[in-house]
Amino acid sequence: MNVLIVEDFKELADELAEFLQKNGYLCKIVSTCADAEEEVEVNEYDAMLLDLGLPDGSGFAVLKLVRKLKLKMAVIVITARGELNDKIEGLDLGADDYLTKPFALTELAARLFAVIRRINGFAKNELDMHGFKIFLQDYKISFNDNIIALTKKEFNIFQYLVLNKNRVITRLQLTEHVWGDVLEINSDSNFIDVHVRNLRKKLEKYAALPWFETVRNVGYRIND
Ligand code: CA
């Protein structure tokens, strides 16, 4: 999953990114409202950690934009201790949760996971797709209790398609989701297809996949 970190205190931003990356998230750090606004307009994120005191204004401006664009993105506002007014304003603007500095990284992980889960409309830590069980928090997939060894990219591809089931997901969307910044990669290459092919091979050892479609020249779709 992709997380946008909007935080101008570089040390904290780096610490958050390092922790989240270890937990399987892809992170992008920006330090101003302007950069954050550009990011949410251009790239797809599952969640945003939003500091309020930014050099070019209040983080609330970014939150307003996210809600105005109706993005399916969980927003956790990071506030300084005791700023109750921020909390109230943020709630009015549609923040999904709050963290008060300083906070434990484990607390952040739990909150982040909870809001992403809520926004995607599932109540458990597991998803079931035609007998394949996805353990969202552990980055594992199983079939009849057999754990299937997937690479992190394969896991992210499968999870993303399942979370967006019954919708065609383009190669570009998958690439952005799994690799982060799409500009850093060669868009002509067929590497996404290679990963999907490997993923399919691993899953097909357990069951046929008529529900895992290739949409010619566009992308992929997993049907419920
Ligand atoms: Ca700040």
Side-chain angles (χ1 to χ4, degrees):
M1 305 214 191
N2 289 336
V3 179
L4 180 64
I5 299 171
V6 187
E7 169 65 70
D8 61 322
F9 180 36
K10 191 175 179 303
E11 227 168 86
L12 176 60
D14 289 344
E15 188 190 1
L16 293 175
E18 193 188 330
F19 172 76
L20 291 175
Q21 278 158 5
K22 268 189 209 145
N23 282 273
Y25 293 92
L26 283 169
C27 297
K28 169 106 188 186
I29 298 172
V30 293
S31 60
T32 63
C33 290
D35 285 349
E37 286 167 1
E38 192 186 326
E39 273 304 318
V40 300
E41 284 185 337
V42 174
N43 293 312
E44 277 191 34
Y45 290 93
D46 300 293
M48 172 164 68
L49 301 178
L50 181 61
D51 179 34
L52 293 180
L54 297 166
D56 57 343
S58 163
F60 282 141
V62 184
L63 178 57
K64 271 186 200 157
L65 178 68
V66 166
R67 293 310 174 220
K68 194 178 125 203
L69 296 174
K70 298 193 179 0
L71 301 176
K72 189 173 147 190
M73 181 194 300
V75 179
I76 296 182
V77 168
I78 301 174
T79 62
R81 189 191 295 273
E83 295 193 59
L84 189 63
N85 287 340
D86 283 349
K87 218 166 193 171
I88 292 165
E89 189 179 354
L91 275 178
D92 286 345
L93 291 175
D96 295 292
D97 205 350
Y98 284 86
L99 278 172
T100 304
K101 291 180 196 176
F103 51 82
L105 290 175
T106 47
E107 179 64 17
L108 165 67
R111 301 279 193 97
L112 185 58
F113 188 71
V115 292
I116 290 176
R117 208 172 53 181
R118 197 163 68 222
I119 250 175
N120 285 288
F122 38 88
K124 296 186 302 179
N125 288 348
E126 298 168 19
L127 293 178
D128 199 297
M129 185 50 69
H130 302 280
F132 289 94
K133 241 187 209 167
I134 305 175
F135 299 91
L136 294 163
Q137 218 156 9
D138 303 326
Y139 302 92
K140 279 192 323 200
I141 292 176
S142 75
F143 191 87
N144 289 341
D145 295 331
N146 298 302
I147 300 292
I148 305 169
L150 298 181
T151 65
K152 201 186 245 180
K153 286 189 171 43
E154 289 159 2
F155 178 90
N156 281 333
I157 290 169
F158 191 54
Q159 175 187 255
Y160 193 62
L161 290 172
V162 171
L163 287 176
N164 292 287
K165 64 188 177 187
N166 305 322
R167 280 172 52 193
V168 178
I169 298 299
T170 65
R171 286 189 175 78
L172 183 65
Q173 285 173 312
L174 262 187
T175 305
E176 279 181 355
H177 177 76
V178 177
W179 274 266
D181 201 338
V182 73
L183 297 175
E184 288 168 15
I185 51 171
N186 176 4
S187 56
D188 294 333
S189 69
N190 66 340
F191 59 91
I192 195 87
D193 303 293
V194 173
H195 286 282
V196 171
R197 197 153 60 228
N198 291 338
L199 167 65
R200 271 210 179 103
K201 263 190 215 153
K202 290 180 181 177
L203 300 181
E204 271 169 348
K205 284 183 192 154
Y206 296 89
L209 313 171
W211 41 269
F212 192 156
E213 282 184 273
T214 301
V215 182
R216 226 183 135 78
N217 298 326
V218 183
Y220 300 94
R221 177 172 55 208
I222 279 183
N223 295 303
D224 218 345

